[in-house]
Amino acid sequence: MDLDDVIRERRKLLGLTQEDLSDMTGVSLRTLKEIEMGRGNPTLRTLEKLALVLGLEIQLTVRKTAEQ
Amino acid sequence: MDLDDVIRERRKLLGLTQEDLSDMTGVSLRTLKEIEMGRGNPTLRTLEKLALVLGLEIQLTVRKTAEQ
DNA sequence: TGCAAATGTGTGGCATACTGCACTTTTGCA
DNA sequence: TGCAAAAGTGCAGTATGCCACACATTTGCA
């Protein structure tokens, strides 16, 4: 599951529109749309703003499954 | 543990210098240094390049611990 | 302890993430 | 089915991530 899917699903689970989430995080509506569409290339800080409000956390974990 | 610490520790565990990792990932030495210093604000694609070579994966998971 | 390897820093240019605005398209409910 | 809410798009300006180059500082080993 890609990060954009996680964000969109989590947002819907919380009953928020893109505009709601934009207001709550300070991430512009335009940028949020791009991220959820899988376009764009968000910075870590932008992802962190979204993660905080969505109750998510960003982790770098050791890859357990087969490479690539 | 912050992402920059994970990257640095993982790099050292694999016996790589910053220059090695820069060459292997295509992420410039300058950018890698900034990331490991905790300065800078890497894009998702830059983090993905590093994660791939370091055998790490980026995840957005539901925060289990107390908020904030 | 001296020295080479490794790491950190200043500067400047280019690419692009982020933003706001106006508009179009899609969605889903009365 | 009509319509308002929600989501997607084109465009243009600003901020900043990424990069190369040159140099300073720190590290750790012979």
Side-chain angles (χ1 to χ4, degrees):
Chain A
M1 197 174 192
D2 286 340
L3 297 198
D4 52 303
D5 295 320
V6 176
I7 290 171
R8 165 157 265 156
E9 304 258 323
R10 183 73 177 169
R11 174 177 62 78
K12 296 210 164 186
L13 184 68
L14 297 176
L16 302 173
T17 65
Q18 290 179 340
E19 190 167 15
D20 290 334
L21 186 56
S22 171
D23 290 341
M24 295 170 74
T25 58
V27 173
S28 79
L29 187 53
R30 190 59 212 255
T31 296
L32 176 56
K33 286 173 186 294
E34 297 283 350
I35 292 172
E36 286 199 0
M37 309 265 305
R39 305 201 233 292
N41 178 23
T43 64
L44 185 56
R45 283 205 228 306
T46 295
L47 286 177
E48 283 171 342
K49 286 180 194 170
L50 296 173
L52 183 63
V53 169
L54 292 174
L56 300 172
E57 62 184 338
I58 303 167
Q59 291 180 316
L60 263 184
T61 60
V62 177
R63 190 180 295 120
K64 295 246 172 44
T65 59
E67 298 298 313
Q68 193 59 321
Chain B
M1 196 174 191
D2 286 340
L3 297 197
D4 53 303
D5 296 320
V6 176
I7 290 171
R8 165 157 266 157
E9 305 256 324
R10 183 74 177 169
R11 174 176 62 79
K12 296 210 165 187
L13 184 68
L14 298 176
L16 303 173
T17 65
Q18 291 179 339
E19 191 167 14
D20 291 334
L21 186 56
S22 171
D23 290 341
M24 294 170 73
T25 58
V27 172
S28 81
L29 188 53
R30 189 59 211 254
T31 296
L32 175 57
K33 286 172 186 295
E34 297 283 352
I35 292 172
E36 286 198 1
M37 309 266 304
R39 305 201 231 294
N41 178 24
T43 64
L44 184 56
R45 284 207 225 307
T46 296
L47 286 177
E48 282 171 342
K49 287 180 195 169
L50 295 173
L52 183 63
V53 169
L54 292 175
L56 300 173
E57 61 185 339
I58 303 167
Q59 291 180 317
L60 262 184
T61 60
V62 176
R63 190 181 293 120
K64 295 245 172 46
T65 59
E67 300 297 313
Q68 188 70 324

